[in-house]
Amino acid sequence: MSALIAVRLHDAAGGEVPLLGRFSYDSADPYAVRAQFFAGDTVLPHWYFDRQMLADGLRGPVGDGDVTFRPERTAGGEELRIGLWDPASGPGVVLLVNARAVTAFLDETYAVTAPGSETFDADGFLEDLLTR
C-alpha cells in the first residue's frame, strides 16, 4: 500500500521546493515506512522511516542523528517536520508534510498491521542474508 503526499523541501537559502512523496508500507517489513521523493520527473533518494517514530513525531520531537520528526504549525496548518541528514552527501534537508495526510496514511497501515502486533522473523532474515 502507498500514498502520494505533497511535500515541501526547505533549501539552505530559505526557499521552498515542491516535491511529491510516495509513502509505502509492506506488512512483510512491519516496522518500516519507505518514503521516496520526486521533483518533477527526477526520482530522489529514498529513505526508510521507523513507523512508530513517524507516528510519535506527529505528537512531539523524536529522533536523533540521520532522521528527526516533530510537529510544526505553519501558515499551511499542522505539518510534520522531517529532518534528514546523510553523512555521505553533506548537509541535511528539512521536509514539511501535511500532518493529516501522514495520519491518514498511518491509519491505513494500522488496518494492515495493528501497532504492537508487528512480528519479525529473525531466523528468516538471517537465512536470507546468508544466502546472498
Side-chain angles (χ1 to χ4, degrees):
M1 68 166 299
S2 67
L4 292 175
I5 301 174
V7 176
R8 294 188 335 270
L9 172 105
H10 282 251
D11 64 22
E16 286 187 358
V17 177
L19 302 176
L20 190 58
R22 177 181 291 131
F23 289 74
S24 303
Y25 180 76
D26 182 348
S27 61
D29 189 2
Y31 296 101
V33 169
R34 182 176 191 232
Q36 186 161 26
F37 302 102
F38 305 88
D41 292 337
T42 304
V43 179
L44 303 172
H46 66 268
W47 289 76
Y48 286 93
F49 300 144
D50 178 277
R51 182 173 74 152
Q52 187 60 52
M53 276 183 61
L54 186 62
D56 290 346
L58 290 164
R59 294 184 298 278
V62 295
D64 186 22
D66 295 351
V67 179
T68 60
F69 302 102
R70 76 171 192 230
E72 190 161 306
R73 183 178 297 276
T74 67
E78 296 294 325
E79 299 195 273
L80 176 64
R81 181 185 192 274
I82 303 172
L84 302 175
W85 172 260
D86 183 356
S89 65
V93 298
V94 172
L95 304 172
L96 290 175
V97 186
N98 180 279
R100 284 188 188 140
V102 173
T103 299
F105 169 75
L106 287 171
D107 287 345
E108 289 182 31
T109 73
Y110 299 149
V112 174
T113 308
S117 69
E118 301 95 339
T119 60
F120 178 69
D121 178 11
D123 291 333
F125 173 76
L126 287 175
E127 183 178 326
D128 184 49
L129 188 64
L130 293 173
T131 59
R132 291 183 190 182

